[in-house]
Amino acid sequence: KNIFILKDNVHYRVFSLVHQYLIFLRELDYAERYLQELHKKDPKLFNAFPMGNPHFEKVELEISSVFDSIVFQLSSVFDYISHLICYICKTDKSKTLYWTKLASSAYGQNNDFTNLDIKKTITELDSSFVGRLYDYRSRLLHNKKDKHIFNATVKLNDFNFDLKILASEVAIKHFKPIREDYPEGQITLTFLSSWLIRRSFKDIEKILDALREEI
């Protein structure tokens, strides 16, 4: 019974995750149109703030907040999957674990996961990606917000804004595998968001394959 409840919860979180990404794209489009309208009304406006442009800061905060929501939703997906793993693999079904505790058990000895094949899958995914995701989420929750880099160009003929929020070095450092896939070039927050979702789906598939073997 609990496994089916968790399955529904995972589905909901995955739906929420994709929806947050769509909100991210809408916010980006809205920000471009917002800046374009301001520029049309007063082309000199953006040169009037030598100590930092409040309009740019507003846009960066709005986009960053939605990106943070994507990170939180991703973490929640892996927590639900962790409980699912525990219901299937642990002897005491009443003591399920969040992902960080599950990973600790998989790294450890003399517990329910010691002699299970899924142990290798959990530790590999934790060390390569999921653990980094939780570290980044913890930084956002308990330390401070990440400061991403505002970058925008405007076409002089029609004042169209091409807005790019570049992912911070802190974010890129936490998600180093993205540089294995894309070693060169700047990484926008939009691209990092889509990469995080795609990478998570691949890792979830690996977990489900490993669970099938345990079942």
Side-chain angles (χ1 to χ4, degrees), residues 157-193:
N157 58 334
D158 56 7
F159 297 117
N160 274 334
F161 265 80
D162 180 18
L163 178 60
K164 290 181 173 64
I165 306 292
L166 303 179
S168 73
E169 286 300 317
V170 173
I172 299 300
K173 184 177 179 180
H174 274 82
F175 303 115
K176 285 182 180 179
I178 195 172
R179 281 303 184 193
E180 297 172 7
D181 298 334
Y182 305 96
E184 302 295 333
Q186 295 176 318
I187 303 293
T188 64
L189 209 56
T190 307
F191 187 76
L192 178 58
S193 299

Side-chain angles (χ1 to χ4, degrees), residues 22-54:
L22 292 175
I23 291 174
F24 181 99
L25 296 178
R26 290 172 193 158
E27 284 294 314
L28 195 64
D29 179 66
Y30 168 77
E32 287 181 335
R33 289 186 282 111
Y34 164 74
L35 294 174
Q36 182 176 325
E37 288 301 316
L38 287 177
H39 190 68
K40 280 183 178 179
K41 290 178 182 178
D42 184 1
K44 297 180 181 179
L45 176 65
F46 295 149
N47 298 323
F49 306 100
M51 300 303 293
N53 190 313

